[in-house]
Structures are given as C-alpha cells and as structure tokens.
Amino acid sequence: MSIATTSMDDERLWSWRFKPREDDDDSMAYQPPADLMHNMSDGELFQRAMDVSRLSRHRLGMAPKIAFMFLTKGDLPLSPLWEKYFAGHSGLYSIYIHPRPSYHADNTSSSVFYRRQIPSKAVSWGSLSLVNAERRLLANALLDLSNERFVLLSESCIPLFNFSFTYQHLMSSRYSFVDAFDEPGPAARGRYQPKLAPEINVTEWRKGAQWFEASRQVAVIVVNETHYYAKFDELRDVMYLQDEHYIPTILTIKAPHLIANRTLAWAYWTGGVHPVTFGKDDVSDGFLRKINQEKNCSYNDQPSTVCYLFARKFAPSALEPLLKLAPTSLGFGSSVHVCKEDGVRFLDLGRKQCRVCSSEEVTVLVKVFALLLLLVVTVSVLGTSAGQQLWSWNSAMGEEEDSMISQPPINLTHSMSDDELFRRAVNVSMMGRYRRSRVSTPKIAFMFLAGGGLPLSPLWEKYFEGHRELYSVYVHSHPSYQPDYPSSSVFYKRQIPSQVLAWGGLSMVDAERRLLVNALLDVSNQRFVLLSETCIPLFDFSFTYRYLMRSKYSFVETFDDPGPGARGRYDPKLQPEISIQQWRKGTQWFEVSRQVAVVIVNETACYARFHELGGGVIVPDEHYIPTVLTITAPHLIANRSLTWTMWKKDHKGHPATFGKDDINGTFPEQINRDRNCSYNDRPSAICFLFARKFATSALEPLLELASAYPGSVRSRTDAEGSES
C-alpha cells in the first residue's frame, strides 16, 4: 500500500505518515496522528483504519493503550474527575471525543482532552447516526496501532476504579464487553424488521447497551462490516433505537466467541427509555460501593464480583462529591486495597484482610514493563553485535533475561531446562505482541515429532520449495539421533534439544509442549502444526498457508465419550482441577494459533495433576491438550483435527499404515471426498490438510504425485469457495 497520492494539504491536515523501510518494502514505520482533525470522508477514514490495522504485526514496541472514546453533545462536565483519573498514566491511554460539529472545545494545553476532538457529524437520539458516530470513533482510534482496547463512554459516565486496576482488568481480558441478548418482548424482538432478512433473521437479532468495550480484533470487525450495515441503512427510517441493536447483532453473527455478553457501564433502569440520573445528593461512599456489591458475573470464564468498571448517568452537580471521594472510594492516587479472588485482582475497600498498596506502585510496574518493551525495540532495530550477544541462548542471562530481543535463533541447540525454556517462550510471546520485528510476514511452524529420521523428507522438501519466508521447521527426535542433512535442506539444524519418549506416557505431552515453546521463541510464527515422520501434506503449501492464516479457530479434536477409551480413562484423583464432565479425548495431532499455543505452554495446574498421577492416566497425549483447552479456551478451537488417519477395528492403539501399493493417482483426493465439516463457521468440503501413516516405501509414488498438488483442482476450488 502506498500513501504517495496524498496531497501536501492533506498531509498537513492529516499529520501522520507511513515510512517504508529501505530494506523491506512491506515493513512500515508508523506515527499515530498528533492532531486528530482531518478532511477524510467516513468511507476514506474507515478504509484508512483498515489499512493501518493490517500493519498490526509491525506495530511499535510501546506499551499497549486503552482508547477512551467519549460520545458527547458538547462539554465534558465531569472532565476534572477524568483528569484526576488519568494523572500519572501518560502513554497508557488515548482519548477521542465526538461532540456535535459546531462545538469548539476550550481545553488548555495541559488538559488530557486538549485537541482530542475528532471530525464529527450531527447525531440524533435513537437513529443510525449514533451507530455512525460509534464507528467513526473506533476508526479514528484504530489509526493508533498502540491502542489495544476501546471503551465507549458518554459525558455522564464516571470510572468506578482507579486507572491501574482498569488497565490490568481490560488488558488481561480474553473477551470484549459487549451486551447482546435475545428477548421476546416488544423492546427487543419486537423491533425486528422482516426486511432485514435474509441477511439477518429474527433468531440472530440481538439487543444490548450502547456502551461497550472492545478489543482491537473486535473493533476492526465493527469498522470493517458493511454487509449488515447496508440493511440497517436501508431501513433507517422505520427502525427504532438502532444503536442498541447493530453492534450486538453483527457480533452475535460474526464473532460470538469474542464477546463476554455484558457491558462494563452500569446504569439504573426504572422503566422508560432513559436510565436514572444521579446528582449531588445521591453520591456517597456507600452508593459507589453498592454498584458492584453482591454482583455476580464471569471474567475470563471464572466467577467474579467485579462486573462494572464505569457507571452512568451522573449530572454535573455530582462532580464535587465525586472529586472528594476520588482518593478513597475510587482509589485515585492514594492507597487502595488490592485483593486476589478467583484469579482476578480487584479493588475492595471493605476487605481489611487484603494487603494495601498504592495506585502509583501499580503504575510504576506497568511503566517499567513499557520501558523493557522499548529496550526490546531499540536493540531489535539497531541490530548491532551487542544486540546479537544479548540473545546468547544461555540459561544464565542475569539482568538481561527480561529484555531479550525477539530475534529467532539460527541454531536451535541450547542448554536451557524445560522450565527455563517455557518461561522464556512466554516472555517472548508477551514482548513479541508489541515488538517491531524486521520480519514482516507471519509464518507456520511445522513441528515434527519423530522417532529418529524423517524418511519422507524429500516430499516435504518439495512441499516447502519456494516458500522460505513463510514457514519454520522444528524436529524433536530421539536424543541420540544425529541428523546428516546437507546445509541446503529445510531440515538442516532444525533439531531441538529433546528427551527420550515412551509411547503412551506423559513424555509425549512433554515433547509436544517442548516443540511449542521452541517455536514460540520466533515471534513471527503465528500457526503451529504438530506432525509425525509418517505424515504427508494433501495440498500444496500456498493453499495450506491461506487456509491456516485465515482460520478463526485452532484445529484441536476434543470429544466426550462415555466408553472405556475415553471417560473410562478418567482418574478421580484429577479432581478438583479436572472434573469428569471436563475430561476430553482427541487425536494427538493438532494445529493451533499462537494464542492457543501460549495457553498450552503456560498451563500448570492440570499438568501438575497429570504428572502427579504418572502412569495412572492412560495415553495422556490423547487427553491433556483436549481437556486443558476445553477448560481454558473452548471458544478458540474448531473441535476437529486437520490430520486424517484410518483406524482399523483391530487397531490395538495404532492406525493403518500405507505403503507403495496403496498410492495411486486418486488416493490423496479420496481423503477429502464427500467430507463435511465447518470452516470459520461455514460448511466446507475440505476437512483435512495432512494424512498419516505412510511407510517409507510410499515415498516414490508420492513424489510422482507431488506435481499434481493439491490432489485435484476441484478440491482446491471448493475449499477456497468455503473460505469466502
């Protein structure tokens, strides 16, 4: 993409630019706008926001920010409270204000609201113009690549916790906080218009609070969506309160697994179309505490008593008592109680048993982390010999351990223990999320779990040919195995430090996690495929790459079966970490996203139970990952494997093996013939990308068929059609 056509006037008004790197046309440095005013139309703005969001892999290595988006009529009468809220947290937030177009703010240059007004349009209550304003705020906020979370607020909103806690709560959340519910009454389903069909049917119609909080991924979906918006626009004169329906409905259709289905902005409803407004006489310490008192909700799939971070509606007269309560009830700038309950850190002024720490203490920790990230970027960009020495692949890194550059290792051999390796991988993943890497293209990590050599390696060499920058290879074989691949081979020096494996033992799980952590050390690896030495690809690399990179889900098989080969293997000693209802089985061969890979290697509670039971769990590699992901991330998995296997009735633990005489011109194509599965929530006829088990004798006929990848043109066309 080029911005070369931008005029000098437009560049002056729109004071940010892309700067292509000399050594990488696809890598771009990014400067967020210092002045938010510009002359783009909404269409141009939305397109620019999408273009910028595609550069998210190249974002600057700074601390992630929360974008606070105020949808107002004019002034922010509670701005002194917000000024106090933001004090001391510069660099961790951005502010965007959408008032009526004629409004001209008079904030001083020292104010956090100074020049944070975006180009706006007139808004009328209950109309589609409110949706337009919300999308306009999101699009402007998306132009700053460091914005990771997006909160929509009104001029009558107040924060219920200090900034440090809010930041931690949002940045640690796996979900966006969007209210979306189905109700048969006249105020919900009763507002549905049959003319919305076929794009939106009544069972997909949702209602929710206008005030949302969204991750960057969800924000991009909202701004980029046009299909359903066109229907809303077409019916703008006959639909009622569209702002309560548009975002809840489209996210229910497009990304239900990404939303928590609740809002973070509390309001008190007594009937009617507007909530109660609170003034000076209503505000007290007890009133503010009562908002979250005895509330029950879910946070990262765990019970929580902190359900609201903000509240509305508060009149200007409430400002004085709110400012007086800010140091105590809201914890602004003074000591607050920080408690730990159900894995969620939160403020609770009523619990004396909690330790006391200051909000500045939390802020300092966040800023130290931000400085470490900046150090990472500095070293990565400089690329000096000193920077290269920092990545020494030595377990005794001392003070430099937490400030590693995210440069993948050239040679995979190292002396780290598994514990050190796991910790390093998680740290790199955290830093890699915000780093500015010189490697711009995401890669697939192909992880081979092998007994020794790779007898089908010539087939894989042909498969990878011409795609050098799009994949990484990792091989876990017997520790005594010494490969002799030539330097031109894709498998040259790709063997990781390994340990002895026992079939049906926990060592198989250890090997899988060991492969994942080694692959996670390369921050450009975004998808991770586990394969054996007997696996073959069914499609060419280009198709496989598109299929995986476009997938919303990870491909992990996980099912509940009452028989002896599934629930029959459950051991009651796995409780309380794992109940029998959570126990799952699935094939060992998986494909996962980076997010899911981090979940697997970072998990310790369930693993400790498996380890404690030793041989008490039969074939743990068929249960550990399926069970862990069912508990921690069921919304992220497609519940199927991409690796085809043929099981015989008398398989005795092993599938059928195919040799030279089994391979013919139609064999690969038959594997996906007449299949039915789901891809990105749509029907697909392509269910497998890989297959096993193939003997060494199968190599010759497979190489002859390789020129005909991916089995047939029809299969590839059908698969591509299923992705669209």
Side-chain angles (χ1 to χ4, degrees):
M1 183 183 66
S2 173
I3 310 297
T5 56
T6 305
S7 68
M8 290 298 293
D9 289 341
D10 189 32
E11 187 171 322
R12 177 177 56 81
L13 288 169
W14 188 245
S15 56
W16 64 272
R17 294 179 297 167
F18 293 113
K19 301 175 182 178
R21 297 173 57 92
E22 293 179 0
D23 59 343
D24 191 346
D25 291 338
D26 293 328
S27 294
M28 298 181 178
Y30 174 75
Q31 300 274 332
D35 188 340
L36 300 184
M37 299 308 293
H38 55 77
N39 60 2
M40 288 186 287
S41 67
D42 277 359
E44 292 171 318
L45 172 64
F46 289 5
Q47 182 59 52
R48 187 70 60 87
M50 291 303 96
D51 291 339
V52 170
S53 288
R54 292 188 187 101
L55 301 179
S56 59
R57 299 186 193 93
H58 317 295
R59 70 188 59 175
L60 293 171
M62 59 177 63
K65 295 189 292 188
I66 302 172
F68 290 83
M69 308 178 300
F70 291 88
L71 182 54
T72 75
K73 296 178 181 177
D75 287 328
L76 290 168
L78 302 177
S79 60
L81 179 70
W82 286 101
E83 296 272 7
K84 187 178 286 287
Y85 174 78
F86 290 121
H89 302 284
S90 177
L92 300 180
Y93 66 87
S94 302
I95 292 174
Y96 302 85
I97 307 170
H98 186 297
R100 62 179 179 271
S102 60
Y103 175 75
H104 295 287
D106 58 356
N107 298 303
T108 63
S109 59
S110 61
S111 170
V112 297
F113 298 103
Y114 181 65
R115 297 178 75 176
R116 301 311 296 173
Q117 184 173 331
I118 69 168
S120 57
K121 294 185 179 181
V123 173
S124 58
W125 182 83
S127 72
L128 192 63
S129 61
L130 275 169
V131 174
N132 295 337
E134 294 167 7
R135 297 175 80 212
R136 198 174 295 123
L137 279 162
L138 281 172
N140 278 276
L142 281 168
L143 293 172
D144 186 340
L145 285 171
S146 59
N147 287 331
E148 286 288 333
R149 309 291 301 201
F150 302 77
V151 185
L152 182 68
L153 301 163
S154 77
E155 67 267 46
S156 68
C157 286
I158 67 165
L160 295 175
F161 296 92
N162 64 20
F163 182 90
S164 296
F165 173 71
T166 302
Y167 183 90
Q168 182 188 32
H169 194 89
L170 296 184
M171 290 299 172
S172 299
S173 176
R174 296 201 296 259
Y175 301 104
S176 295
F177 297 93
V178 179
D179 201 23
F181 60 89
D182 182 18
E183 188 175 272
R189 281 207 179 192
R191 295 177 185 169
Y192 175 79
Q193 295 289 327
K195 291 182 180 180
L196 287 166
E199 286 79 2
I200 304 170
N201 62 51
V202 70
T203 60
E204 296 169 323
W205 181 250
R206 293 294 185 271
K207 177 182 177 180
Q210 175 188 7
W211 313 101
F212 61 78
E213 187 281 334
S215 66
R216 188 171 190 92
Q217 181 181 1
V218 169
V220 168
I221 290 172
V222 173
V223 171
N224 202 32
E225 199 287 310
T226 57
H227 186 60
Y228 303 107
Y229 178 85
K231 275 293 193 181
F232 273 74
D233 190 33
E234 183 182 318
L235 300 172
R236 64 166 57 224
D237 296 328
V238 296
M239 289 180 64
Y240 186 57
L241 295 176
Q242 296 184 15
D243 56 298
E244 292 185 359
H245 298 280
Y246 174 71
I247 290 179
T249 296
I250 68 164
L251 292 181
T252 295
I253 296 171
K254 297 176 73 70
H257 59 292
L258 298 180
I259 61 175
N261 199 14
R262 65 182 177 92
T263 181
L264 292 178
W266 175 84
Y268 185 60
W269 295 89
T270 58
V273 293
H274 296 289
V276 172
T277 298
F278 301 98
K280 181 177 183 179
D281 297 335
D282 300 301
V283 178
S284 67
D285 176 75
F287 171 80
L288 295 176
R289 276 206 275 170
K290 191 175 180 180
I291 291 175
N292 271 300
Q293 202 169 53
E294 298 178 357
K295 298 290 183 183
N296 292 290
C297 56
S298 174
Y299 176 82
N300 284 347
D301 302 316
Q302 298 292 325
S304 174
T305 54
V306 175
C307 301
Y308 300 106
L309 299 185
F310 311 97
R312 56 186 295 269
K313 302 174 59 172
F314 288 81
S317 64
L319 177 62
E320 183 181 351
L322 285 169
L323 286 172
K324 290 179 180 178
L325 288 170
T328 54
S329 296
L330 302 180
F332 291 10
S334 65
S335 294
V336 294
H337 295 284
V338 180
C339 310
K340 187 173 180 66
E341 179 175 304
D342 300 322
V344 181
R345 298 177 65 84
F346 64 95
L347 309 180
D348 186 344
L349 296 165
R351 298 176 183 247
K352 295 182 180 179
Q353 70 269 29
C354 303
R355 74 177 181 86
V356 178
C357 69
S358 67
S359 60
E360 285 87 349
E361 179 184 356
V362 181
T363 303
V364 168
L365 291 174
V366 173
K367 288 191 173 182
V368 167
F369 181 64
L371 288 172
L372 287 172
L373 290 170
L374 288 173
L375 177 59
V376 170
V377 175
T378 302
V379 176
S380 179
V381 171
L382 288 176
T384 63
S385 59
Q388 292 166 0
Q389 291 171 5
L390 190 61
W391 186 257
S392 60
W393 279 98
N394 192 311
S395 57
M397 290 192 62
E399 296 177 357
E400 296 160 337
E401 181 174 3
D402 292 329
S403 56
M404 300 175 300
I405 63 171
S406 23
Q407 178 105 13
I410 297 172
N411 190 333
L412 300 183
T413 302
H414 55 77
S415 59
M416 288 184 286
S417 68
D418 276 1
D419 287 343
E420 292 171 315
L421 177 63
F422 279 43
R423 185 175 69 254
R424 184 72 56 84
V426 173
N427 288 341
V428 168
S429 287
M430 292 173 63
M431 295 180 182
R433 188 179 177 191
Y434 310 113
R435 104 284 189 216
R436 181 172 178 78
S437 173
R438 297 177 74 88
V439 180
S440 62
T441 307
K443 295 189 292 189
I444 301 173
F446 290 82
M447 309 178 301
F448 291 87
L449 184 54
L454 296 169
L456 302 178
S457 60
L459 180 69
W460 287 100
E461 297 273 5
K462 183 178 286 288
Y463 174 77
F464 290 124
E465 188 176 347
H467 303 283
R468 188 178 62 177
E469 303 299 325
L470 302 180
Y471 67 87
S472 302
V473 173
Y474 302 84
V475 184
H476 186 295
S477 56
H478 194 281
S480 63
Y481 176 72
Q482 297 296 324
D484 58 354
Y485 298 108
S487 58
S488 60
S489 171
V490 298
F491 298 102
Y492 180 67
K493 289 190 173 182
R494 301 311 296 172
Q495 184 171 335
I496 69 168
S498 56
Q499 295 184 22
V500 176
L501 303 184
W503 183 87
L506 191 62
S507 59
M508 297 288 283
V509 175
D510 295 336
E512 294 168 8
R513 299 175 82 213
R514 197 174 295 120
L515 279 163
L516 280 172
V517 290
N518 277 278
L520 281 167
L521 292 171
D522 184 341
V523 290
S524 59
N525 287 331
Q526 294 297 315
R527 308 291 303 200
F528 303 76
V529 185
L530 181 68
L531 301 162
S532 79
E533 69 268 47
T534 67
C535 286
I536 67 166
L538 296 176
F539 295 90
D540 63 17
F541 183 91
S542 297
F543 175 71
T544 303
Y545 185 87
R546 291 196 306 273
Y547 192 97
L548 296 184
M549 289 301 173
R550 292 176 181 177
S551 175
K552 297 188 295 190
Y553 302 106
S554 294
F555 296 93
V556 179
E557 186 179 51
T558 168
F559 59 88
D560 183 17
D561 187 331
R567 281 207 181 193
R569 296 176 180 171
Y570 176 79
D571 191 324
K573 292 179 182 178
L574 289 165
Q575 296 179 17
E577 285 78 6
I578 304 169
S579 69
I580 192 168
Q581 291 80 17
Q582 296 169 321
W583 182 250
R584 293 294 185 272
K585 178 181 177 179
T587 180
Q588 174 186 10
W589 312 103
F590 60 76
E591 187 282 334
V592 297
S593 66
R594 190 173 188 89
Q595 181 182 0
V596 171
V598 170
V599 171
I600 293 170
V601 303
N602 208 27
E603 198 283 317
T604 57
C606 295
Y607 179 83
R609 279 296 185 186
F610 272 73
H611 190 269
E612 180 183 317
L613 292 174
V617 178
I618 303 172
V619 196
D621 54 298
E622 292 185 358
H623 296 281
Y624 174 72
I625 289 178
T627 298
V628 164
L629 294 181
T630 295
I631 295 171
T632 60
H635 58 292
L636 298 179
I637 59 178
N639 196 13
R640 66 181 177 93
S641 174
L642 291 178
T643 302
W644 174 84
T645 305
M646 177 181 285
W647 292 92
K648 300 175 292 184
K649 290 184 178 180
D650 58 344
H651 59 79
K652 297 181 181 180
H654 296 286
T657 298
F658 301 95
K660 181 177 182 178
D661 295 337
D662 299 302
I663 309 302
N664 56 51
T666 62
F667 180 84
E669 186 180 12
Q670 289 172 354
I671 290 175
N672 273 297
R673 181 174 290 170
D674 299 325
R675 298 286 179 181
N676 290 289
C677 55
S678 174
Y679 177 83
N680 285 347
D681 303 316
R682 294 179 180 272
S684 174
I686 299 297
C687 302
F688 299 107
L689 300 185
F690 310 97
R692 59 184 291 269
K693 302 174 60 171
F694 290 82
T696 306
S697 65
L699 178 61
E700 183 181 349
L702 286 170
L703 285 172
E704 291 176 1
L705 288 172
S707 59
Y709 277 169
S712 78
V713 175
R714 182 197 60 79
S715 295
R716 178 170 54 193
T717 304
D718 288 347
E720 289 172 343
S722 71
E723 295 177 63
S724 61

